[in-house]
Amino acid sequence: MTATADTPPANGNPPAAPPGAGEFDLIARHFRPLAAREAGALSLLDDAALLELPPGASLVAAADAMVAGIHFLPDDPPALVARKLLRVNLSDMAAMGAEPRFYLLTVSLPADTPERWVADFAAGLAADQAAFGVTLVGGDTTRTTGPIALSLTILGQQERGRALLRAGARAGDEIWVSGTIGDGALGLLALTGGLDALPAEARGALVQRYHLPEPRVALGRRLVGIATACQDVSDGLVADLGHICRASRLAAEIEAEAVPLSPAAEAALAADPSLLARILTGGDDYELLFAAAPTAGESLRAIGAALGLRLTPIGRMVGALAPDAASPVRVRRADGSVLVLERGGWAHF
Ligand code: ADP
Ligand code: MG
């Protein structure tokens, strides 16, 4: 049945206000250029995109949303917001070992959003599309009475049966992490008034890591066939390692002092040793955390050298997960003590 001006839609809701020409103009001016490289996007002029994958490829799909006031501040630079939105999704592709290809974008904007905001947002997307080889292929644009809300769906491809899953780690596997850990959480702390004794340069480095994560897409591709389990660090190192443990039905043990830190995080920790818990449990790192057989060490060192990316072994997968364990992850200190995560807090024993 077709709803006309006289007949309400079959779902019984009042008819939505017709989109103003402004919305189509916004799409044409700011989003259509981002779809130019992919013929299957049909210039964003049809009802849906029409995409081809090579034979034998699985479609890998993930989505992440960001809302002003919750995931970013309303006056954050729109280009940075756009790049972070795309990058957190790219990080999910990296964690699967997938090759990102396309994305769909839904933007819900308050009526008073300046067009400048949309233009800057699109410019941020353009920069990272070029950097990561992905193309916008569709989406939706709506008004909202609430704050700016953004949702991005990323589509990638992976040779069938080759994706990096969270399950698959084996007892005795080494646990590795890329890059450095804790910068995102410390950057957020700096942005919200903490770390004020830290030199401006170190604070700036941490804030930069929070605003603009570096999705490890190239690393993820190279870990296919090597990592036995993998995920990206978004909730915090210990919590995310817990996800691998539960999926693989194993416990894990890591050495706190082995966790790689940036010079800025080292400086912050030296000034305030209690920041260790925040470094190990804070989120927003978007590094890859993975398990691999001890025999893979040499290949991993070669991959790290080829990519110019630090890869660090931080512990190992140990025996079966005890059903009554408070946490599947044990964090050892150099002095032999053990930190145990208990309901979000830390206790020494
Ligand atoms: P519908 O009426 O089905 O919601 P629209 O008129 O909203 O369709 O969208 C028309 C075309 O514009 C579609 O191809 C859609 O994918 C595309 N589109 C709308 N908003 C966006 C956006 N924010 N980014 C990319 N493409 C968009
Ligand atoms: Mg629409």
Side-chain angles (χ1 to χ4, degrees):
M1 190 177 101
T2 306
T4 68
D6 307 323
T7 51
N11 63 13
N13 293 331
E23 277 155 33
F24 295 111
D25 286 349
L26 278 186
I27 296 168
R29 275 203 291 274
H30 303 294
F31 296 132
R32 184 161 304 141
L34 299 175
R37 266 185 12 147
E38 171 54 48
L42 307 173
S43 304
L44 306 182
L45 289 170
D46 219 307
D47 296 301
L50 204 52
L51 307 170
E52 306 293 335
L53 293 183
S58 297
L59 177 66
V60 187
D64 261 303
M66 287 176 36
V67 176
I70 297 178
H71 303 94
F72 63 95
L73 302 173
D75 55 357
D76 278 349
L80 272 184
V81 173
R83 296 172 77 190
K84 183 160 185 177
L85 178 67
L86 185 51
R87 285 170 179 232
V88 299
N89 278 279
L90 288 166
S91 184
D92 285 323
M93 291 290 111
M96 301 299 284
E99 179 188 343
R101 296 285 310 276
F102 314 111
Y103 67 99
L104 298 134
L105 172 71
T106 296
V107 297
S108 301
L109 303 172
D112 62 356
T113 308
E115 184 161 349
R116 183 80 247 158
W117 196 95
V118 181
D120 290 350
F121 181 82
L125 291 175
D128 274 357
Q129 279 199 183
F132 293 97
V134 292
T135 311
L136 179 64
V137 295
D140 203 11
T141 304
T142 71
R143 292 290 171 214
T144 176
T145 52
I148 294 177
L150 309 163
S151 172
L152 195 148
T153 299
I154 194 139
L155 303 173
Q157 67 189 43
Q158 174 67 288
E159 300 81 6
R160 194 168 295 142
R162 305 275 286 164
L164 302 175
L165 305 179
R166 294 178 179 188
R170 290 169 300 222
D173 280 354
E174 289 186 313
I175 298 161
W176 294 70
V177 72
S178 64
T180 58
I181 293 298
D183 300 320
L186 294 178
L188 178 58
L189 182 61
L191 273 176
T192 50
L195 302 181
D196 48 1
L198 210 60
E201 196 185 321
R203 290 167 54 90
L206 296 170
V207 168
Q208 164 81 6
R209 283 289 311 262
Y210 173 74
H211 273 148
L212 204 59
E214 201 55 60
R216 303 304 186 184
V217 178
L219 173 62
R221 297 293 295 146
R222 297 213 187 198
L223 291 180
V224 173
I226 296 178
T228 54
C230 182
Q231 79 158 87
D232 63 330
V233 182
S234 55
D235 293 342
L237 179 68
V238 171
D240 287 323
L241 182 52
H243 295 145
I244 287 182
C245 287
R246 285 185 199 91
S248 300
R249 298 168 190 253
L250 292 172
E253 205 169 85
I254 61 173
E255 280 103 50
E257 278 75 13
V259 173
L261 303 182
S262 67
E266 295 271 18
L269 182 63
D272 177 2
S274 78
L275 289 174
L276 180 63
R278 187 181 290 265
I279 288 169
L280 296 177
T281 64
D284 284 304
D285 290 312
Y286 300 102
E287 295 292 349
L288 292 187
L289 172 69
F290 57 96
T295 50
E298 205 172 312
S299 314
L300 289 169
R301 271 176 252 279
I303 290 170
L307 296 176
L309 176 61
R310 196 163 160 186
L311 298 182
T312 310
I314 59 169
R316 67 209 63 78
M317 304 301 297
V318 293
L321 181 58
D324 57 340
S327 162
V329 180
R330 295 226 296 176
V331 183
R332 283 194 183 282
R333 302 296 310 274
D335 64 8
S337 66
V338 173
L339 288 166
V340 178
L341 185 62
E342 275 178 358
R343 291 174 208 280
W346 290 87
H348 292 257
F349 70 91

